[in-house]
Amino acid sequence: MMNFGQVLTAMVTPFDQNGGIDFNQTRTLINYLIANGSDGIVVAGTTGESPALSDSQKLELFRFTANIADGRVPIIAGTGSNNTRASIQLTQQAEQTGVDAIMLTTPYYNKPSQEGLYEHYKAIAHATSLPVMLYNIPGRSAVAIAPETIIRLSEINNIVSVKEASGDLDAMAEIIQKTPEDFTLYSGDDSLALPVMAIGGNGVISVAAHVLGNEMQEMATQFKQGNVQEAAVIHQTILPVMKALFKQPSPSPVKAALNMMGIHVGDAQLPMLPLTDDEKQQLRQMLPATKITEAG
């Protein structure tokens, strides 16, 4: 069984002023995340602005992240797209970079049928020896992977997990109940991390963990130790910060927060916009004072 942990961070991609990847800040960020509550790191997902990265940049980022992590936490590479052949090619290239698993987003824009989704994921899984995490995000892809399709896909040996960002707890409960015991399910929504664990999920793939990694790790640990009330109190405490990090389209708020914390990840790339000065000020007021540095 591939153990990804309970709090995984969907890492932002630090950019320099010219739109290139800032590898010095990426190193700082990786080490910071590992030291502050992240059991694993997802690279070049939605939060990593994968649409703004070329395949060669993604591969460079996969290789660099795996090298810096150096086995301390699993690295999951986002290699999915709405082009099955292109996803197979990128996945096979990613396999050579030292990453531990791949994550495949639901094909967007072309709106395949459930059978089309099944064949898409099956083709990619059969083309790699890496563990595969499905990524169900109907809000961005216009089509959802139905629970029965996920259950069917879980029978493929190396499809081992799903990041569920549908917000549908009933569907998630069905998936958890009807997939193999070693198949894992993660919340793709920060605010649902605790409810998803309460129905048998394994944890969360988080944006907010850039800022709240230790708090989220403590919440998950308290819950799994049976201290449900303590976990609920942590959830209630950090929920306003989570909401602030999604007040504008992600990852612009979390990038602004990291800049305030002294980890200079740059701005989001077009078509995403950086926060305005007013938006930054509102966000700053919501962040714990202990997180903000003088440099930020």
Side-chain angles (χ1 to χ4, degrees):
M1 176 181 173
M2 182 76 205
N3 182 11
F4 296 124
Q6 56 192 19
V7 177
L8 287 72
T9 301
M11 188 177 77
V12 303
T13 301
F15 290 112
D16 60 28
Q17 290 181 324
N18 300 316
I21 299 172
D22 186 333
F23 285 103
N24 281 331
Q25 290 300 320
T26 302
R27 177 187 287 105
T28 299
L29 178 59
I30 293 164
N31 287 325
Y32 171 82
L33 292 175
I34 293 171
N36 287 276
S38 293
D39 294 319
I41 296 174
V42 176
V43 184
T46 311
T47 311
E49 297 177 81
S50 59
L53 296 169
S54 67
D55 281 358
S56 61
Q57 285 179 309
K58 288 177 186 176
L59 291 166
E60 198 175 2
L61 189 58
F62 298 158
R63 188 173 288 108
F64 184 84
T65 306
N67 184 47
I68 297 301
D70 194 25
R72 289 178 288 169
V73 299
I75 303 302
I76 305 170
T79 60
S81 74
N82 59 350
N83 180 331
T84 306
R85 275 181 293 189
S87 290
I88 288 172
Q89 183 177 14
L90 183 59
T91 297
Q92 290 176 332
Q93 291 172 316
E95 196 164 346
Q96 308 305 313
T97 65
V99 298
D100 300 287
I102 59 158
M103 185 177 75
L104 302 174
T105 189
T106 317
Y108 39 86
Y109 182 68
N110 42 15
K111 295 180 78 170
S113 66
Q114 291 300 311
E115 191 62 28
L117 289 174
Y118 177 81
E119 292 295 338
H120 167 82
Y121 284 118
K122 176 182 161 187
I124 302 169
H126 282 176
T128 181
S129 63
L130 288 175
V132 174
M133 175 183 283
L134 310 174
Y135 182 12
N136 186 28
I137 183 159
R140 290 180 184 266
S141 64
V143 63
I145 321 174
E148 53 267 29
T149 304
I150 294 173
I151 293 160
R152 196 173 154 211
L153 284 165
S154 74
E155 296 167 5
I156 296 171
N157 282 343
N158 61 328
I159 297 182
V160 300
S161 187
V162 61
K163 177 184 177 183
E164 253 293 343
S166 66
D168 187 341
L169 289 170
D170 290 350
M172 291 186 231
E174 182 182 354
I175 292 162
I176 291 163
Q177 181 187 7
K178 295 181 179 177
T179 50
E181 196 173 327
D182 58 356
F183 185 86
T184 53
L185 182 144
Y186 290 88
S187 172
D189 296 296
D190 278 298
S191 61
L192 290 181
L194 190 56
V196 167
M197 285 189 287
I199 62 167
N202 295 80
V204 62
I205 297 179
S206 171
V207 176
H210 286 92
V211 180
L212 300 166
N214 290 323
E215 293 85 346
M216 295 182 78
Q217 184 67 240
E218 180 65 14
M219 177 181 73
T221 299
Q222 290 290 349
F223 177 80
K224 292 193 174 179
Q225 289 177 350
N227 303 321
V228 177
Q229 191 57 45
E230 288 87 342
V233 169
I234 297 170
H235 172 80
Q236 292 156 14
T237 304
I238 64 180
L239 191 59
V241 184
M242 288 180 181
K243 287 185 173 178
L245 290 169
F246 289 95
K247 200 167 182 184
Q248 283 79 34
S250 187
S252 299
V254 73
K255 282 197 142 182
L258 285 164
N259 290 331
M260 292 173 199
M261 291 162 60
I263 302 172
H264 298 291
V265 295
D267 289 327
Q269 303 296 293
L270 282 170
M272 312 308 289
L273 293 175
L275 300 193
T276 65
D277 288 343
D278 283 349
E279 289 165 349
K280 285 178 185 173
Q281 190 55 36
Q282 290 172 21
L283 176 62
R284 185 183 290 267
Q285 289 169 357
M286 294 304 299
L287 295 177
T290 53
K291 307 268 185 186
I292 299 171
T293 68
E294 293 292 329

